[in-house]
Amino acid sequence: MNEYLIGIETSCDDTSLAVIDNNANVVFDLVSSQIKSHIPYGGVVPEIASREHIRNLPILFDELIKKIGLKNVTGIAATHGPGLLGSLLVGFSFAKALAYSLNVPFYGVNHIEAHITSPWIESRELPLPSLVLVVSGGHSHLFYLNDFEKPYLVSATLDDAAGEAFDKIGKRLKMPYPQGPKIDKLARRGNPYKFKFPVPKIKGGKDYSFSGLKTAFLFTLDKLGLSLDKFDEENLPQWVYDILASFEKSIVDHLLDRMEKMLKKLKPASMAIAGGVASNSLLRFRFKELAEKFSLPYSIPSPKYCTDNAVMVCFNAYKRWRNKEESEILSDTFSNCEWERWSDEEL
Ligand code: KG4
Ligand code: ZN
C-alpha cells in the first residue's frame, strides 16, 4: 500500500500544499500565489499574507482530498519558521489540527533547512558532503552538509540578503512587486560592464554583505541624476537595463566568490543552490560554470523548487516519517533562528 506524507508551506506569501509517497515520488503539488494582492503595496504586507493563507489553504486542501483522499495519509509536515509569524501560524495550526484529527504524526520543518534539501528533489544521487548556497528574500547563507540532520553554517550575510537587495533597488526604480524576477528579465538586455559597483570587503573574507552594494546603486542614481517618473516596462531607457545588469553581476560575483573560496577550503563532494534567488538566470549559468571548473557534481533545482514550495517541506520530513518517528510537540512558530557555525580554525 502507498503511504502519503502531506507537506504545508505558508512562511511568506505563497500558500503551498504537496504530497509525496513512501518512495518520495511527488504525487500532489499545488502553489497559490498572492502576488496580485500585494502589488498595490510594492511588497508583501504580512497581515494580508496571513488572511490570504486562511482563504487559500482550504481551497488547495479540497483539491488534495479530491485527488488522493486522506485514507493513506500517515504523516503531516509543516513549516514552523523562520518566516512571517502570522503566515506561519496558519499552515502550522492547520497541519497540527489535521495530524491530530487523523491520528498521525506531525513534523515541524525549518524553512531554510527545507530549502537546503530542495536540490535533492530532482537529483537524488547528489553525493554528500555538499556545499549548499541558500539565497532567498531573508537569507544568503552557505551551508556545509555532512548529513541532512545537521547543516553547518559556513558563511552568512551580515546585513541584507541577496533577494532583499534585488527587491529594494527594484522598488527604487518604481518596479512593481515582485522585483527579483523582473530584474532578472530586464538585466538580460543590459550591459553588465556599464556601471561599476564595489566588491564588498569583509574582514575574514568569509561572510556576505549586500547593503553596501545597495547603497552604491542608490548613490550612482543620485550622482548621475538618473530616475524614472514611472516604471513603464515597454518604454525603458537603456541605462535601466545596464544598471540592473551591472548590479546583478556584482551580486552574483559576490555570492560565487565566497563559494569558490569555500570549495577550495572544504573540498565537498558536490555543490548546490537553493532559495528564490537561485532561479536567477545569471546565477544559474555562473554556478554551473563554477561546478564544471571544479569538476563537481551539482544540482540547480527547477525554478518551482527554488521559490517557496511544499515539496521541499515533505522532503525535509521524509526521513523522520519513514523512521516512524514520534509526533513532535511544537508549541509555536518562530521568525528567526541560528545554526551551529564553524569557527575560522575549524574551516
Ligand atoms: O525563497 P523565496 O521564494 O522566499 C523566501 O524564503 O524569502 O525567495 C524570494 C526572493 C525574493 O527576494 C525574490 O525577489 C527573489 O527571491 N527572486 C529572484 C528571482 N526569483 C525570485 N531574484 C532574482 N532573480 C530571480 N529570477
Ligand atoms: Zn523561502
Side-chain angles (χ1 to χ4, degrees):
M1 177 195 95
N2 261 347
E3 287 184 38
Y4 294 136
L5 171 70
I6 294 181
I8 297 177
E9 152 62 33
T10 62
S11 68
C12 189
D13 60 336
D14 287 313
T15 317
S16 179
L17 192 60
V19 180
I20 61 172
D21 68 15
N22 35 320
N23 294 313
N25 296 313
V26 180
V27 294
F28 183 88
D29 178 12
L30 273 187
V31 181
S32 166
S33 164
Q34 302 182 358
I35 288 178
K36 273 198 189 126
S37 311
H38 298 289
I39 279 182
Y41 308 95
V44 178
V45 182
E47 178 64 23
I48 294 177
S50 320
R51 287 169 190 269
E52 288 277 311
H53 287 309
I54 290 174
R55 204 166 60 90
N56 296 335
L57 189 51
I59 299 173
L60 300 188
F61 190 64
D62 276 349
E63 292 295 317
L64 184 153
I65 291 178
K66 271 188 228 148
K67 189 160 178 218
I68 63 163
L70 293 176
K71 208 163 64 85
N72 296 348
V73 173
T74 57
I76 314 284
T79 313
H80 65 131
L84 301 173
L85 288 178
S87 291
L88 286 162
L89 264 177
V90 178
F92 179 76
S93 312
F94 190 100
K96 285 215 298 187
L98 184 61
Y100 185 73
S101 65
L102 296 176
N103 196 21
V104 299
F106 166 80
Y107 305 105
V109 169
N110 180 301
H111 180 63
I112 299 303
E113 292 179 15
H115 274 304
I116 293 174
T117 45
S118 65
W120 279 264
I121 298 173
E122 295 162 300
S123 308
R124 305 284 167 96
E125 305 303 325
L126 193 70
L128 293 175
S130 187
L131 197 60
V132 188
L133 175 65
V134 180
V135 262
S136 68
H139 293 79
S140 296
H141 284 18
L142 194 56
F143 289 96
Y144 185 80
L145 203 64
N146 248 330
D147 58 57
F148 291 100
E149 278 71 51
K150 199 169 178 190
Y152 280 95
L153 184 60
V154 175
S155 311
T157 180
L158 300 174
D159 39 59
D160 289 355
E164 201 178 351
F166 276 130
D167 296 339
K168 283 181 180 165
I169 64 116
K171 260 190 186 174
R172 176 63 188 263
L173 293 177
K174 303 193 168 78
M175 227 178 246
Y177 162 84
Q179 292 83 4
K182 200 160 287 296
I183 292 174
D184 186 353
K185 190 173 150 212
L186 300 176
R188 306 282 67 76
R189 295 172 59 179
N191 172 2
Y193 298 96
K194 190 85 186 174
F195 294 86
K196 240 190 149 31
F197 296 115
V199 179
K201 288 195 179 61
I202 300 145
K203 211 169 147 249
K206 197 158 57 76
D207 285 317
Y208 293 112
S209 166
F210 294 99
S211 75
L213 273 178
K214 185 193 66 193
T215 308
F217 179 95
L218 303 179
F219 183 73
T220 304
L221 289 183
D222 288 345
K223 200 172 102 190
L224 302 178
L226 301 171
S227 66
L228 295 174
D229 293 333
K230 68 178 170 71
F231 186 83
D232 175 2
E233 199 171 334
E234 302 310 314
N235 214 352
L236 290 171
Q238 185 60 37
W239 67 260
V240 174
Y241 300 117
D242 292 341
I243 203 165
L244 291 178
S246 306
F247 186 78
E248 183 195 56
K249 179 181 177 300
S250 305
I251 295 245
V252 171
D253 283 349
H254 185 40
L255 286 171
L256 295 185
D257 166 75
R258 296 292 184 265
M259 183 123 199
E260 181 158 3
K261 266 193 191 133
M262 291 308 150
L263 285 172
K264 285 182 188 150
K265 210 160 195 168
L266 302 173
K267 300 188 174 47
S270 72
M271 56 194 272
I273 44 174
V277 181
S279 44
N280 177 271
S281 327
L282 181 68
L283 179 59
R284 296 168 80 83
F285 178 76
R286 295 265 309 275
F287 184 87
K288 182 170 176 283
E289 277 187 342
L290 185 62
E292 285 165 358
K293 181 175 162 188
F294 280 77
S295 304
L296 277 180
Y298 63 92
S299 170
I300 303 173
S302 301
K304 69 171 180 170
Y305 294 136
C306 290
T307 45
D308 291 345
N309 67 88
V311 174
M312 67 184 191
V313 174
C314 293
F315 261 70
N316 188 276
Y318 180 77
K319 203 165 162 196
R320 283 179 276 167
W321 174 53
R322 292 326 296 156
N323 288 343
K324 306 243 181 294
E325 282 182 26
E326 292 277 305
S327 190
E328 293 158 9
I329 311 296
L330 294 167
S331 56
D332 213 349
T333 54
F334 56 91
S335 56
N336 285 310
C337 67
E338 300 280 330
W339 287 268
E340 198 165 319
R341 251 196 116 136
W342 276 352
S343 66
D344 286 352
E345 296 74 51
E346 280 172 304
L347 277 177

